[in-house]
PDB file of all heavy atoms in Angstrom:
ATOM      1  N   ALA A 268     -22.814   5.531   1.097  1.00  0.00           N
ATOM      2  CA  ALA A 268     -23.835   5.361   0.056  1.00  0.00           C
ATOM      3  C   ALA A 268     -24.735   4.175   0.395  1.00  0.00           C
ATOM      4  O   ALA A 268     -24.262   3.048   0.522  1.00  0.00           O
ATOM      5  CB  ALA A 268     -23.174   5.168  -1.294  1.00  0.00           C
ATOM      6  N   LYS A 269     -26.020   4.430   0.568  1.00  0.00           N
ATOM      7  CA  LYS A 269     -26.975   3.354   0.890  1.00  0.00           C
ATOM      8  C   LYS A 269     -27.042   2.358  -0.270  1.00  0.00           C
ATOM      9  O   LYS A 269     -27.250   2.736  -1.414  1.00  0.00           O
ATOM     10  CB  LYS A 269     -28.381   3.945   1.108  1.00  0.00           C
ATOM     11  CG  LYS A 269     -28.567   4.549   2.486  1.00  0.00           C
ATOM     12  CD  LYS A 269     -29.175   3.534   3.457  1.00  0.00           C
ATOM     13  CE  LYS A 269     -29.009   3.940   4.927  1.00  0.00           C
ATOM     14  NZ  LYS A 269     -27.622   3.826   5.447  1.00  0.00           N
ATOM     15  N   GLY A 270     -26.821   1.091   0.025  1.00  0.00           N
ATOM     16  CA  GLY A 270     -26.845   0.078  -1.012  1.00  0.00           C
ATOM     17  C   GLY A 270     -25.636   0.088  -1.924  1.00  0.00           C
ATOM     18  O   GLY A 270     -25.620  -0.567  -2.963  1.00  0.00           O
ATOM     19  N   GLY A 271     -24.602   0.876  -1.543  1.00  0.00           N
ATOM     20  CA  GLY A 271     -23.384   0.960  -2.348  1.00  0.00           C
ATOM     21  C   GLY A 271     -22.465  -0.220  -2.043  1.00  0.00           C
ATOM     22  O   GLY A 271     -22.810  -1.118  -1.283  1.00  0.00           O
ATOM     23  N   PRO A 272     -21.259  -0.196  -2.658  1.00  0.00           N
ATOM     24  CA  PRO A 272     -20.336  -1.333  -2.521  1.00  0.00           C
ATOM     25  C   PRO A 272     -19.962  -1.683  -1.074  1.00  0.00           C
ATOM     26  O   PRO A 272     -19.743  -2.846  -0.757  1.00  0.00           O
ATOM     27  CB  PRO A 272     -19.082  -0.892  -3.298  1.00  0.00           C
ATOM     28  CG  PRO A 272     -19.534   0.221  -4.177  1.00  0.00           C
ATOM     29  CD  PRO A 272     -20.749   0.834  -3.572  1.00  0.00           C
ATOM     30  N   TRP A 273     -19.906  -0.660  -0.203  1.00  0.00           N
ATOM     31  CA  TRP A 273     -19.568  -0.959   1.210  1.00  0.00           C
ATOM     32  C   TRP A 273     -20.677  -1.769   1.852  1.00  0.00           C
ATOM     33  O   TRP A 273     -20.435  -2.777   2.525  1.00  0.00           O
ATOM     34  CB  TRP A 273     -19.348   0.325   2.006  1.00  0.00           C
ATOM     35  CG  TRP A 273     -18.099   1.073   1.676  1.00  0.00           C
ATOM     36  CD1 TRP A 273     -17.830   1.743   0.530  1.00  0.00           C
ATOM     37  CD2 TRP A 273     -16.918   1.207   2.510  1.00  0.00           C
ATOM     38  NE1 TRP A 273     -16.556   2.297   0.585  1.00  0.00           N
ATOM     39  CE2 TRP A 273     -15.983   1.991   1.796  1.00  0.00           C
ATOM     40  CE3 TRP A 273     -16.589   0.760   3.788  1.00  0.00           C
ATOM     41  CZ2 TRP A 273     -14.739   2.339   2.314  1.00  0.00           C
ATOM     42  CZ3 TRP A 273     -15.344   1.101   4.320  1.00  0.00           C
ATOM     43  CH2 TRP A 273     -14.432   1.877   3.585  1.00  0.00           C
ATOM     44  N   ASP A 274     -21.926  -1.317   1.637  1.00  0.00           N
ATOM     45  CA  ASP A 274     -23.069  -2.026   2.194  1.00  0.00           C
ATOM     46  C   ASP A 274     -23.148  -3.444   1.657  1.00  0.00           C
ATOM     47  O   ASP A 274     -23.407  -4.402   2.394  1.00  0.00           O
ATOM     48  CB  ASP A 274     -24.392  -1.312   1.810  1.00  0.00           C
ATOM     49  CG  ASP A 274     -24.741  -0.204   2.798  1.00  0.00           C
ATOM     50  OD1 ASP A 274     -23.967  -0.006   3.763  1.00  0.00           O
ATOM     51  OD2 ASP A 274     -25.772   0.459   2.574  1.00  0.00           O
ATOM     52  N   LEU A 275     -22.932  -3.567   0.347  1.00  0.00           N
ATOM     53  CA  LEU A 275     -23.039  -4.892  -0.297  1.00  0.00           C
ATOM     54  C   LEU A 275     -21.976  -5.845   0.276  1.00  0.00           C
ATOM     55  O   LEU A 275     -22.252  -7.004   0.547  1.00  0.00           O
ATOM     56  CB  LEU A 275     -22.879  -4.772  -1.819  1.00  0.00           C
ATOM     57  CG  LEU A 275     -23.987  -4.019  -2.536  1.00  0.00           C
ATOM     58  CD1 LEU A 275     -23.637  -3.812  -4.012  1.00  0.00           C
ATOM     59  CD2 LEU A 275     -25.325  -4.769  -2.425  1.00  0.00           C
ATOM     60  N   THR A 276     -20.772  -5.302   0.478  1.00  0.00           N
ATOM     61  CA  THR A 276     -19.683  -6.146   0.997  1.00  0.00           C
ATOM     62  C   THR A 276     -19.949  -6.539   2.451  1.00  0.00           C
ATOM     63  O   THR A 276     -19.714  -7.680   2.842  1.00  0.00           O
ATOM     64  CB  THR A 276     -18.336  -5.416   0.845  1.00  0.00           C
ATOM     65  OG1 THR A 276     -18.173  -5.094  -0.534  1.00  0.00           O
ATOM     66  CG2 THR A 276     -17.182  -6.292   1.308  1.00  0.00           C
ATOM     67  N   ARG A 277     -20.480  -5.600   3.230  1.00  0.00           N
ATOM     68  CA  ARG A 277     -20.846  -5.920   4.611  1.00  0.00           C
ATOM     69  C   ARG A 277     -21.905  -7.020   4.620  1.00  0.00           C
ATOM     70  O   ARG A 277     -21.823  -7.982   5.400  1.00  0.00           O
ATOM     71  CB  ARG A 277     -21.356  -4.657   5.299  1.00  0.00           C
ATOM     72  CG  ARG A 277     -20.986  -4.579   6.752  1.00  0.00           C
ATOM     73  CD  ARG A 277     -21.401  -3.270   7.379  1.00  0.00           C
ATOM     74  NE  ARG A 277     -20.391  -2.235   7.299  1.00  0.00           N
ATOM     75  CZ  ARG A 277     -20.499  -1.087   6.636  1.00  0.00           C
ATOM     76  NH1 ARG A 277     -21.587  -0.832   5.945  1.00  0.00           N
ATOM     77  NH2 ARG A 277     -19.530  -0.209   6.651  1.00  0.00           N
ATOM     78  N   HIS A 278     -22.850  -6.903   3.696  1.00  0.00           N
ATOM     79  CA  HIS A 278     -23.891  -7.918   3.559  1.00  0.00           C
ATOM     80  C   HIS A 278     -23.283  -9.276   3.193  1.00  0.00           C
ATOM     81  O   HIS A 278     -23.628 -10.305   3.783  1.00  0.00           O
ATOM     82  CB  HIS A 278     -24.886  -7.443   2.478  1.00  0.00           C
ATOM     83  CG  HIS A 278     -25.852  -8.491   2.052  1.00  0.00           C
ATOM     84  ND1 HIS A 278     -25.578  -9.392   1.028  1.00  0.00           N
ATOM     85  CD2 HIS A 278     -27.093  -8.805   2.506  1.00  0.00           C
ATOM     86  CE1 HIS A 278     -26.613 -10.209   0.889  1.00  0.00           C
ATOM     87  NE2 HIS A 278     -27.534  -9.873   1.774  1.00  0.00           N
ATOM     88  N   ASP A 279     -22.347  -9.289   2.261  1.00  0.00           N
ATOM     89  CA  ASP A 279     -21.720 -10.548   1.823  1.00  0.00           C
ATOM     90  C   ASP A 279     -20.940 -11.197   2.965  1.00  0.00           C
ATOM     91  O   ASP A 279     -20.994 -12.406   3.174  1.00  0.00           O
ATOM     92  CB  ASP A 279     -20.771 -10.310   0.642  1.00  0.00           C
ATOM     93  CG  ASP A 279     -21.500  -9.769  -0.585  1.00  0.00           C
ATOM     94  OD1 ASP A 279     -22.752  -9.857  -0.618  1.00  0.00           O
ATOM     95  OD2 ASP A 279     -20.815  -9.266  -1.501  1.00  0.00           O
ATOM     96  N   LEU A 280     -20.211 -10.376   3.702  1.00  0.00           N
ATOM     97  CA  LEU A 280     -19.413 -10.908   4.816  1.00  0.00           C
ATOM     98  C   LEU A 280     -20.322 -11.391   5.941  1.00  0.00           C
ATOM     99  O   LEU A 280     -20.013 -12.397   6.613  1.00  0.00           O
ATOM    100  CB  LEU A 280     -18.407  -9.865   5.320  1.00  0.00           C
ATOM    101  CG  LEU A 280     -17.283  -9.531   4.335  1.00  0.00           C
ATOM    102  CD1 LEU A 280     -16.432  -8.372   4.861  1.00  0.00           C
ATOM    103  CD2 LEU A 280     -16.387 -10.759   4.076  1.00  0.00           C
ATOM    104  N   ALA A 281     -21.449 -10.727   6.131  1.00  0.00           N
ATOM    105  CA  ALA A 281     -22.403 -11.184   7.150  1.00  0.00           C
ATOM    106  C   ALA A 281     -23.001 -12.536   6.739  1.00  0.00           C
ATOM    107  O   ALA A 281     -23.226 -13.415   7.574  1.00  0.00           O
ATOM    108  CB  ALA A 281     -23.508 -10.139   7.332  1.00  0.00           C
ATOM    109  N   THR A 282     -23.231 -12.711   5.433  1.00  0.00           N
ATOM    110  CA  THR A 282     -23.712 -14.003   4.924  1.00  0.00           C
ATOM    111  C   THR A 282     -22.714 -15.109   5.228  1.00  0.00           C
ATOM    112  O   THR A 282     -23.078 -16.206   5.659  1.00  0.00           O
ATOM    113  CB  THR A 282     -23.953 -13.909   3.393  1.00  0.00           C
ATOM    114  OG1 THR A 282     -24.844 -12.838   3.128  1.00  0.00           O
ATOM    115  CG2 THR A 282     -24.503 -15.190   2.822  1.00  0.00           C
ATOM    116  N   VAL A 283     -21.439 -14.813   5.022  1.00  0.00           N
ATOM    117  CA  VAL A 283     -20.379 -15.770   5.295  1.00  0.00           C
ATOM    118  C   VAL A 283     -20.331 -16.107   6.786  1.00  0.00           C
ATOM    119  O   VAL A 283     -20.256 -17.272   7.179  1.00  0.00           O
ATOM    120  CB  VAL A 283     -19.005 -15.208   4.835  1.00  0.00           C
ATOM    121  CG1 VAL A 283     -17.859 -16.073   5.326  1.00  0.00           C
ATOM    122  CG2 VAL A 283     -18.965 -15.069   3.312  1.00  0.00           C
TER     123      VAL A 283
END
Side-chain angles (χ1 to χ4, degrees):
K269 280 266 163 289
W273 289 70
D274 274 0
L275 294 173
T276 303
R277 215 175 270 116
H278 169 272
D279 297 345
L280 292 173
T282 304
V283 170

